[in-house]
Amino acid sequence: MKLRRIFALFLALTAGGAFAADGKAIYDANCASCHQPDGAGAVGLAPPLAGTLGKRITMPAGRQYVPGVLISGLAGKLVSKGVTYTGIMPSWQQFSDEELAGVVNYVLTTYNAAELQPGHQPYVAVEFAQMREKKPSGKELKAWRAESE
């Protein structure tokens, strides 16, 4: 019985590691070209992800904003760290809910760990599934962003 518990713990830990690795792989293959390998963003192209999301997701609107942008995409003007960006963030809805949660959790723990509040709960697939059901408009996304600043 004790061996079974140890094996179950081992599987849980290794599955969690694989999940995190998938998030990194997805980021490296799909996000880093615009947001850069270090999450710093590219002036005039893509806003930084590093040091910008940890505080934002503590607000209920901010918690919705991140999955909403990945599911719906976002176009138009936004300001991040005092720099104005005007462009298009494509939708990444072709990825599974688990993959989207993995990439967001990777970005948060890798580039925003210092900003995460005690008790931070990682994103789970169901949050992305729920967002797909009500796919927010650009207007809703911009309102959620404003509420979470």
Side-chain angles (χ1 to χ4, degrees):
M1 200 59 155
K2 187 175 183 179
L3 184 59
R4 190 177 295 173
R5 286 186 194 153
I6 291 170
F7 184 68
L9 178 61
F10 171 77
L11 286 177
L13 291 174
T14 57
F19 189 71
D22 288 346
K24 180 182 180 347
I26 292 167
Y27 181 86
D28 289 346
N30 300 279
C31 312
S33 59
C34 293
H35 292 285
Q36 303 304 299
D38 62 357
V43 174
L45 175 64
L49 300 177
T52 61
L53 298 178
K55 292 175 188 168
R56 181 175 306 285
I57 65 165
T58 62
M59 304 291 289
R63 183 87 184 177
Q64 295 177 74
Y65 175 75
V66 174
V69 169
L70 291 174
I71 295 296
S72 295
L74 187 63
K77 181 177 126 182
L78 70 87
V79 178
S80 182
K81 292 189 171 183
V83 178
T84 300
Y85 296 85
T86 305
I88 297 173
M89 165 73 178
S91 163
W92 294 100
Q93 65 181 346
Q94 70 271 25
F95 289 102
S96 72
D97 298 330
E98 292 81 10
E99 290 170 322
L100 292 174
V103 75
V104 169
N105 290 328
Y106 168 75
V107 167
L108 289 172
T109 58
T110 303
Y111 306 126
N112 294 273
E115 295 181 332
L116 295 176
Q117 298 295 311
H120 163 72
Q121 296 296 309
Y123 279 90
V124 293
V126 71
E127 291 173 277
F128 291 88
Q130 291 169 346
M131 193 58 60
R132 283 182 204 274
E133 289 178 13
K134 61 181 177 183
K135 196 172 177 180
S137 68
K139 186 175 181 178
E140 288 173 301
L141 290 169
K142 289 177 183 182
W144 290 343
R145 182 178 177 87
E147 286 177 38
S148 67
E149 290 184 337

